[in-house]
């Protein structure tokens, strides 16, 4: 199924307006300076195009001519290989494996609590998700102190997965103690990047102030 002929670029991204996994893909595209058409989707009401293209009807979904990719990790690894500059993965296998594992843990351990906090229908559900995120952030504090970017001296795909979560913490009501300043400092380093600013939807821009 072809996406609408009105779309002008080779790449089309089906993306929600406020979603950490879609933001992760948009951040990779922005870091690489790649042009694409964005189709804004309400994930609870996927459009016909998306239903035809992706058996899970989920976003992010990337379309490039006949190629249709879904799952944020599959999409971002593809983009890093397809558009190699700047590289967003280290070259040695050990560091690559460590970053892949870190991204897997983010997806399995952090993202469900972000989504739960965003979708909570009771105060108790929201508070439980906020507590989980606070605990995860504090447990990861030594990693934020250890290097300029997440587990790596250079910005990588792992930062593209982590920064969208850190960006949302205040809007989700997650208040970190003073000792967590290295996490805020890490966020500010990435938020200052013009690519990060370009990656944001209008809804995501409203979640917090950009650094001056
Ligand atoms: N494993 C998928 C999950 C994506 C996901 O949970 N997307 C949400 C929006 S943030 C969604 O599309 N939900 C609707 C659905 O899965 O049917 C990925 O990594 O991309």
């Amino acid at each position: 199924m072809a996406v609408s002929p009105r779309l002008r670029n080779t790449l089309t991204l089906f993306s929600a307006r406020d979603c950490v996994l879609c933001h992760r893909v948009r951040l990779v595209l922005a870091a690489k300076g790649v042009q694409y058409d964005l189709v804004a989707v309400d994930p609870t009401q996927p459009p016909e195009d998306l239903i035809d293209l992706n058996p899970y009807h989920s976003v992010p979904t990337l379309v490039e001519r006949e190629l249709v990719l879904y799952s944020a990790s599959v999409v971002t690894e593809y983009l890093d290989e397809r558009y190699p500059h700047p590289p967003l993965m280290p070259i040695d296998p050990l560091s690559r494996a460590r970053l892949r594992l870190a991204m897997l843990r983010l997806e399995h351990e952090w993202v469900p609590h972000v989504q739960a906090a965003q979708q909570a229908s009771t105060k108790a559900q929201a508070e439980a998700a906020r507590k989980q995120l606070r605990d995860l952030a504090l447990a990861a504090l030594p990693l934020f102190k250890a290097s300029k970017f997440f587990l790596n001296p250079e910005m990588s795909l792992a930062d593209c997965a982590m920064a969208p979560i850190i960006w949302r913490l205040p809007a989700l009501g997650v208040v970190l103690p003073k000792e967590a300043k290295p996490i805020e400092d890490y966020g500010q380093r990435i938020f200052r990047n013009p690519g990060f600013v370009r990656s944001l939807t209008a809804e995501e821009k409203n979640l917090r102030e950009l650094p001056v």
Side-chain angles (χ1 to χ4, degrees):
M1 160 92 200
V3 293
S4 165
R6 276 175 298 146
L7 304 175
R8 284 175 302 154
N9 292 296
T10 318
L11 290 182
T12 301
L13 179 67
F14 289 81
S15 163
R17 292 185 163 87
D18 176 6
C19 157
V20 272
L21 295 166
C22 300
H23 191 180
R24 174 175 168 185
V25 174
R26 282 185 265 112
L27 191 45
V28 173
L29 287 161
K32 305 265 180 194
V34 176
Q35 298 295 313
Y36 61 100
D37 289 308
L38 188 138
V39 179
V41 168
D42 170 356
T44 64
Q45 292 180 312
E48 282 297 319
D49 277 5
L50 184 59
I51 291 173
D52 287 349
L53 290 164
N54 170 349
Y56 304 113
H57 311 168
S58 61
V59 287
T61 293
L62 182 82
V63 182
E64 184 182 24
R65 298 195 179 91
E66 300 307 311
L67 177 71
V68 180
L69 296 175
Y70 31 86
S71 179
S73 55
V74 173
V75 174
T76 51
E77 294 237 8
Y78 170 72
L79 289 172
D80 195 40
E81 290 175 1
R82 171 82 173 79
Y83 302 96
H85 301 290
L88 290 175
M89 282 295 267
I91 25 182
D92 69 292
L94 189 79
S95 305
R96 290 167 76 85
R98 278 200 183 121
L99 287 184
R100 287 202 182 99
L101 199 58
M103 290 188 278
L104 185 81
R105 293 192 63 176
L106 276 185
E107 263 185 62
H108 287 214
E109 296 172 31
W110 294 60
V111 170
H113 298 303
V114 173
Q115 292 174 332
Q118 288 174 319
Q119 293 158 14
S121 48
T122 66
K123 273 189 184 169
Q125 283 172 355
E127 188 42 43
R130 283 198 282 267
K131 181 178 177 334
Q132 294 284 354
L133 287 169
R134 212 165 28 234
D135 291 351
L136 283 165
L138 291 177
L141 191 53
L143 303 180
F144 288 96
K145 287 181 182 165
S147 55
K148 186 170 175 196
F149 293 101
F150 197 65
L151 293 174
N152 206 43
E154 307 289 337
M155 184 162 159
S156 78
L157 291 183
D159 299 294
C160 296
M162 179 57 94
I165 299 178
I166 305 298
W167 176 254
R168 284 163 172 76
L169 291 181
L172 294 175
V174 178
V175 181
L176 296 178
K178 278 204 185 103
E179 74 203 67
K181 188 168 178 300
I183 299 180
E184 187 55 27
D185 293 345
Y186 160 85
Q188 296 296 319
R189 273 197 291 282
I190 296 180
F191 305 155
R192 247 184 238 117
N193 189 307
F196 185 85
V197 181
R198 284 198 306 276
S199 74
L200 295 165
T201 62
E203 288 76 6
E204 289 164 348
K205 270 190 188 122
N206 286 334
L207 297 177
R208 68 145 92 182
E209 295 283 317
L210 280 161
V212 278

